[in-house]
C-alpha cells in the first residue's frame, strides 16, 4: 500500500535573529540558520514557512485542542473518561484549578500569527518570476501565499477570540510583544479585515481544479465561508451575550460588513467554488469505509445501508470516491513516541472519545471522554439518517457494539460519537489493528497513535446553513434537509438551530452556536442519570453565566504581562 502522503511537518524552518555585544559579530553572515533577510526569497522558502504556520494548529496539551475543548463544553457531550480523568471533568464543568489549561492554545496561536506575519510582510517584496514560466503564474503564487497567510492569521485570532475574548493584536513583525488586550470589537475588526483582504487576494480557482497536493490549504472559498462564520459569531455574541444589538461586522478602517455583504460572499462560494453536498451524509465519515478496508463485513449496518466513503483527500483521494463537501481541515498522520510531541500529530479526538475499556471490531478502544447526552438520542427522529450516522449506540450488534462491556468509565450513557472515533479490524492474520494504520501500511500500531482521520473545520453544508441564517431564507436549510431525506420547511430560527444541532453534532460547533445565540445561559438546566464506572450517579454541569462563554486567560500569560492583561470575568 502507499505510504501516507501528508506527514505533518515536524521540524520547520526557524527565523534566527542573532545579536551580540561586540560589533565584529554583527557583520558575520549566518551560515547555519535562516534569517528574515535571507529567507522568503524562493517558492520553497514560502512553502516551508507556510508549513510552519499550519504546524501551529497542533497543541501538546489536549485541552488546548479547539475541537476537544469545544466538545467537552458542549451541552450535548459529557466529561466522561475514568475516575482519574479529572481534567476532562473540570473542563466539562467549567473549572480550571490548574490555571493554565488553555495555555498551549494561546501560545501556539501566537506562534502561527507570528509566522503568518512574516510571510505577509516578506512575500510582498519578493520576486518569484524566475521560478515560473510566466509573470502571471509568479503573481498567482504570490497572491495565494499572501492571501493564505492572511486567512491563517484570521483563523488563529478567531480561535483566540472565541475562547478568550479580546486579545493582544500583534499584526507586524515589529509590533511590541507586550501589547495590551484589544477590545472584543477591535479583535473581530482585525479578523474580518484579514478575511476580506484574503478573499480579494487569493485566486478564484474552483475547488475541483485545486490539486490534491494543495488539499488542506486555505483558499478563497474557505475564506468566504469563514467570513460568514465570523459574522454570525460576532453579531450574535454582541447582541445576545453583551446586550449590544448589532447586525454589522466592524473593519479596521472604520467601515463594516452588513448581512447582505456577507451573504454575497457566501453566494459567490455557493455559485462558483465547485463544492457540493455529499449525496449521503454518512459517507463523509470513515466508518463508511471500514467494511471495504477489512474486506469483509465488520459493520453490518454500513453494509445494509450501502455506505461508501468519499475519502478525505479532496476530489481525487487515495481512498474513497471523491469528497466535494469538505472545505478546510486539520490534517493528521500517525505520530510516533520517538518524536518530540509525536502524539499531537494523530487525531486525539478519535482516541479520547472512543469506547473506554472496550476493543471491538470495528470500533476500537479509547479513553471514553465526551459521552453523548441521551437527550439528543431520545429527541432525534429515527427517520433522520444522521441520527445513527452521528451517534454510536452500544450493545447493538448491527452497529458492531454487541459485545460492549459496560461499567468501564464515568458518565456512561450508552452513547458515543461515531464521527470521530477509533476504527480497527483484523489484519488477516488474527491481529486487530487500526484501519488507517493498515490503509497506509504504518509500522506503529499503538492505539494511541493510529488515528489519521482529518478533523473537519468547515463543510459546504455549513455554507448553506449560514446563508439561510444570515438571509433568513430556507433554501440552504432545505438543501441540507433534502440530503437527509427530510421534507422542506419554512425558515425559522428554531428550525435553523435544530438543523445545525443534527447536521454538526460532535464537530466542535455546538458550543459556539449556543454561546452566540445566547442559549448557553439555560443550556445546562438539566440533570442526567449516568453510570460512573459501575456506580449509578447523577450528572449536572455547572456553567456560570458570569463567564459569558469565555475561558480563562492562562495565568502564566497574565504573570508574564506584568499586570497588563486582566483576567476574564468569573475566573
Amino acid at each position: 500500500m502507499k505510504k501516507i502522503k501528508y506527514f505533518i511537518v515536524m521540524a520547520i524552518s526557524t527565523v534566527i535573529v542573532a545579536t551580540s555585544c561586540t560589533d565584529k559579530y554583527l557583520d558575520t553572515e549566518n551560515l547555519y540558520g535562516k534569517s528574515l533577510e535571507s529567507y522568503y526569497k524562493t517558492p520553497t522558502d514560502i512553502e516551508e514557512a507556510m508549513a510552519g504556520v499550519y504546524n501551529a494548529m497542533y497543541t501538546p496539551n489536549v485541552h488546548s485542542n479547539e475541537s476537544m475543548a469545544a466538545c467537552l463544553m458542549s451541552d450535548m457531550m459529557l466529561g466522561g473518561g475514568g475516575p482519574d480523568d479529572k481534567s476532562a471533568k473540570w473542563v466539562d464543568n467549567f473549572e480550571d484549578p490548574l490555571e493554565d489549561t488553555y495555555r498551549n492554545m494561546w501560545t501556539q496561536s501566537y506562534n502561527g500569527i507570528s509566522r503568518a506575519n512574516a510571510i505577509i510582510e516578506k512575500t510582498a517584496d519578493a520576486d518569484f518570476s524566475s521560478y515560473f514560466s510566466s509573470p502571471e503564474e509568479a503573481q498567482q503564487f504570490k497572491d495565494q501565499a499572501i492571501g493564505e497567510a492572511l486567512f491563517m492569521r484570521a483563523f488563529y485570532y478567531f480561535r483566540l477570540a472565541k475562547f478568550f475574548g479580546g486579545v493582544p493584536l500583534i499584526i507586524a513583525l515589529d509590533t511590541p510583544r507586550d501589547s495590551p488586550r484589544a477590545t472584543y470589537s477591535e479583535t473581530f475588526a482585525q479578523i474580518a479585515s484579514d478575511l476580506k483582504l484574503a478573499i480579494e487576494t487569493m485566486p478564484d480557482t474552483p475547488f475541483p481544479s485545486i490539486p490534491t497536493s494543495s488539499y488542506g490549504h486555505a483558499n478563497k472559498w474557505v475564506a468566504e465561508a469563514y467570513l460568514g462564520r465570523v459574522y454570525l459569531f460576532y453579531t450574535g455574541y454582541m447582541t445576545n451575550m453583551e446586550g449590544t444589538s448589532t447586525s454589522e461586522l466592524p473593519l479596521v478602517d472604520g467601515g463594516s460588513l452588513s448581512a447582505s455583504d456577507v451573504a454575497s460572499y457566501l453566494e459567490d462560494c455557493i455559485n462558483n467554488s465547485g463544492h457540493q453536498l455529499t449525496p449521503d451524509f454518512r459517507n463523509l465519515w470513515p466508518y463508511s469505509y471500514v467494511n471495504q478496508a477489512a474486506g469483509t463485513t465488520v459493520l453490518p449496518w454500513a453494509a445494509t445501508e450501502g455506505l461508501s466513503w468519499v475519502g478525505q483527500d479532496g476530489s481525487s483521494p487515495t481512498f474513497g470516491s471523491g469528497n466535494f463537501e469538505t472545505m478546510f481541515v486539520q490534517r493528521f498522520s500517525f505520530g510516533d513516541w520517538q518524536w518530540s510531541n509525536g502524539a499531537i500529530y494523530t487525531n486525539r479526538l478519535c482516541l479520547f472519545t472512543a469506547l473506554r475499556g472496550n476493543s471491538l471490531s470495528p470500533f476500537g478502544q479509547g479513553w471514553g471522554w465526551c459521552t453523548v447526552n441521551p437527550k439528543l438520542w431520545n429527541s432525534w427522529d429515527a427517520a433522520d439518517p444522521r441520527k445513527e450516522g452521528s451517534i454510536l449506540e452500544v450493545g447493538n450488534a448491527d452497529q458492531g457494539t454487541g459485545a460492549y462491556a459496560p461499567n468501564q468509565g464515568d458518565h456512561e450513557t450508552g452513547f458515543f460519537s461515531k464521527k470521530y472515533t477509533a476504527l480497527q479490524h483484523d489484519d488477516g492474520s488474527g491481529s486487530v489493528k487500526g484501519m488507517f494504520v493498515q490503509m497506509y501500511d504504518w509500522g506503529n500500531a499503538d492505539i494511541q497513535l493510529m488515528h489519521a482521520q482529518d478533523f473537519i473545520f468547515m463543510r459546504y453544508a455549513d455554507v448553506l446553513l449560514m446563508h439561510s441564517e444570515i438571509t433568513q431564507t430556507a433554501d440552504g436549510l432545505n438543501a441540507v434537509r433534502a440530503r437527509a431525506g427530510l421534507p422542506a420547511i419554512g425558515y425559522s430560527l428554531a428550525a435553523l438551530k435544530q438543523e445545525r444541532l443534527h447536521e454538526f453534532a460532535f464537530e466542535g460547533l455546538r458550543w459556539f452556536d449556543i454561546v452566540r445565540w445566547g442559549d448557553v445561559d439555560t443550556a445546562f438546566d438539566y440533570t442526567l442519570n449516568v453510570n460512573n464506572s459501575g456506580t449509578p450517579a447523577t450528572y449536572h454541569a455547572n456553567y456560570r453565566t458570569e463567564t459569558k462563554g469565555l475561558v480563562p486567560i492562562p495565568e502564566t500569560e497574565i504573570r508574564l504581562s506584568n499586570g497588563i492583561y486582566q483576567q476574564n470575568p468569573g475566573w
Side-chain angles (χ1 to χ4, degrees):
M1 293 184 182
K2 296 181 181 179
K3 292 287 185 182
I4 193 166
K5 292 186 176 180
Y6 50 87
F7 288 113
I8 307 301
V9 177
M10 299 197 63
I12 61 173
S13 299
T14 304
V15 176
I16 298 178
V17 181
T19 61
S20 174
C21 51
T22 56
D23 290 342
K24 68 178 182 178
Y25 292 115
L26 295 177
D27 296 325
T28 301
E29 182 181 359
N30 184 353
L31 300 177
Y32 304 102
K34 296 181 179 180
S35 69
L36 287 170
E37 289 70 35
S38 64
Y39 203 41
Y40 308 98
K41 304 295 186 184
T42 71
T44 298
D45 289 346
I46 302 304
E47 289 168 358
E48 290 176 350
M50 195 67 74
V53 175
Y54 284 94
N55 187 267
M57 285 184 175
Y58 304 90
T59 60
N61 186 321
V62 70
H63 293 303
S64 285
N65 179 298
E66 176 179 345
S67 56
M68 180 64 71
C71 284
L72 281 170
M73 291 190 289
S74 164
D75 60 329
M76 290 301 158
M77 303 190 95
L78 285 58
D84 293 332
D85 287 320
K86 296 179 181 179
S87 65
K89 296 177 179 65
W90 288 334
V91 173
D92 175 60
N93 203 42
F94 305 97
E95 302 175 35
D96 185 32
L98 299 180
E99 297 187 333
D100 271 352
T101 297
Y102 307 100
R103 189 174 183 227
N104 281 167
M105 182 188 296
W106 181 281
T107 57
Q108 281 292 81
S109 293
Y110 276 108
N111 285 339
I113 289 165
S114 179
R115 295 164 191 170
N117 285 340
I119 294 175
I120 293 166
E121 291 188 28
K122 296 300 179 179
T123 304
D125 298 327
D127 181 2
F128 302 117
S129 58
S130 63
Y131 300 94
F132 295 91
S133 59
S134 70
E136 291 76 19
E137 287 185 24
Q139 187 62 46
Q140 187 176 64
F141 175 84
K142 176 184 280 192
D143 289 346
Q144 173 63 29
I146 294 174
E148 194 172 346
L150 284 164
F151 170 82
M152 289 306 298
R153 185 167 71 182
F155 174 86
Y156 287 121
Y157 271 124
F158 186 39
R159 169 183 283 181
L160 289 168
K162 287 185 298 183
F163 281 93
F164 300 109
V167 294
L169 294 177
I170 300 173
I171 57 172
L173 292 172
D174 59 359
T175 301
R177 296 311 190 253
D178 59 352
S179 299
R181 294 177 65 182
T183 67
Y184 197 80
S185 292
E186 288 169 343
T187 302
F188 272 87
Q190 184 62 52
I191 296 166
S193 297
D194 278 352
L195 289 174
K196 182 175 181 290
L197 186 54
I199 293 166
E200 295 167 351
T201 303
M202 285 189 280
D204 57 355
T205 307
F207 171 71
S209 299
I210 297 175
T212 301
S213 60
S214 296
Y215 182 71
H217 284 258
N219 54 54
K220 175 182 178 179
W221 320 114
V222 174
E224 289 181 328
Y226 261 85
L227 191 57
R229 184 172 287 177
V230 167
Y231 173 85
L232 285 169
F233 192 85
Y234 174 79
T235 56
Y237 191 92
M238 291 299 293
T239 299
N240 298 312
M241 299 297 287
E242 292 291 354
T244 304
S245 181
T246 183
S247 60
E248 301 283 321
L249 178 62
L251 296 171
V252 170
D253 64 7
S256 62
L257 294 173
S258 66
S260 60
D261 293 330
V262 177
S264 294
Y265 285 117
L266 295 181
E267 286 158 10
D268 182 44
C269 182
I270 291 168
N271 295 328
N272 300 307
S273 70
H275 282 289
Q276 55 187 270
L277 293 175
T278 294
D280 189 326
F281 164 90
R282 299 167 297 182
N283 288 336
L284 287 165
W285 313 104
Y287 60 68
S288 63
Y289 190 71
V290 70
N291 290 333
Q292 293 93 317
T296 187
T297 298
V298 292
L299 183 54
W301 165 77
T304 300
E305 296 295 317
L307 302 187
S308 181
W309 193 34
V310 294
Q312 61 178 23
D313 298 327
S315 58
S316 301
T318 306
F319 302 96
S321 59
N323 187 334
F324 290 82
E325 180 167 348
T326 296
M327 298 181 67
F328 189 59
V329 303
Q330 183 172 359
R331 306 235 66 184
F332 284 103
S333 180
F334 300 107
D336 204 305
W337 295 121
Q338 65 182 335
W339 305 338
S340 175
N341 288 328
I344 73 174
Y345 298 106
T346 188
N347 191 337
R348 289 177 293 175
L349 187 65
C350 297
L351 168 66
F352 278 75
T353 63
L355 308 176
R356 186 174 184 87
N358 282 263
S359 182
L360 310 177
S361 182
F363 297 106
Q365 182 175 353
W367 306 152
W369 291 17
C370 297
T371 53
V372 172
N373 189 332
K375 291 173 54 181
L376 179 59
W377 175 268
N378 295 333
S379 64
W380 201 336
D381 189 343
D384 187 340
R386 294 173 298 184
K387 178 178 181 177
E388 288 190 333
S390 303
I391 300 177
L392 180 60
E393 180 187 20
V394 301
N396 186 332
D398 196 44
Q399 294 291 337
T401 61
Y404 177 82
N407 305 327
Q408 302 298 310
D410 292 349
H411 299 164
E412 276 193 339
T413 63
F415 303 105
F416 293 85
S417 168
K418 190 183 283 184
K419 291 178 176 178
Y420 294 100
T421 191
L423 294 169
Q424 60 184 22
H425 59 79
D426 193 300
D427 66 358
S429 67
S431 178
V432 175
K433 295 180 180 177
M435 182 181 80
F436 284 100
V437 168
Q438 297 185 62
M439 287 163 58
Y440 291 105
D441 195 23
W442 183 250
N444 192 332
D446 190 318
I447 68 166
Q448 298 185 66
L449 303 172
M450 70 182 197
H451 311 286
Q453 179 183 350
D454 292 348
F455 180 80
I456 303 172
F457 280 116
M458 181 66 71
R459 292 199 277 119
Y460 181 65
D462 206 354
V463 173
L464 296 175
L465 290 179
M466 288 190 295
H467 185 267
S468 277
E469 188 171 359
I470 290 171
T471 62
Q472 298 183 32
T473 59
D475 288 352
L477 173 71
N478 283 326
V480 174
R481 286 178 59 82
R483 192 254 297 269
L486 301 176
I489 58 175
Y491 178 82
S492 70
L493 182 57
L496 187 283
K497 288 180 178 182
Q498 178 168 288
E499 202 61 35
R500 290 191 64 85
L501 170 62
H502 292 164
E503 180 68 23
F504 302 121
F506 324 132
E507 295 183 44
L509 296 178
R510 172 67 177 176
W511 165 249
F512 302 113
D513 278 348
I514 62 175
V515 169
R516 68 182 177 88
W517 288 327
D519 294 343
V520 67
D521 289 350
T522 58
F524 299 92
D525 292 346
Y526 62 84
T527 299
L528 299 174
N529 293 319
V530 297
N531 186 304
N532 283 349
S533 300
T535 301
T538 57
Y539 165 90
H540 176 73
N542 295 302
Y543 172 75
R544 291 170 290 114
T545 58
E546 62 268 25
T547 65
K548 294 186 176 181
L550 301 178
V551 302
I553 303 294
E555 284 294 333
T556 295
E557 297 300 323
I558 291 177
R559 288 192 290 269
L560 289 172
S561 78
N562 292 319
I564 293 178
Y565 302 161
Q566 297 299 310
Q567 186 55 274
N568 283 330
W571 297 101

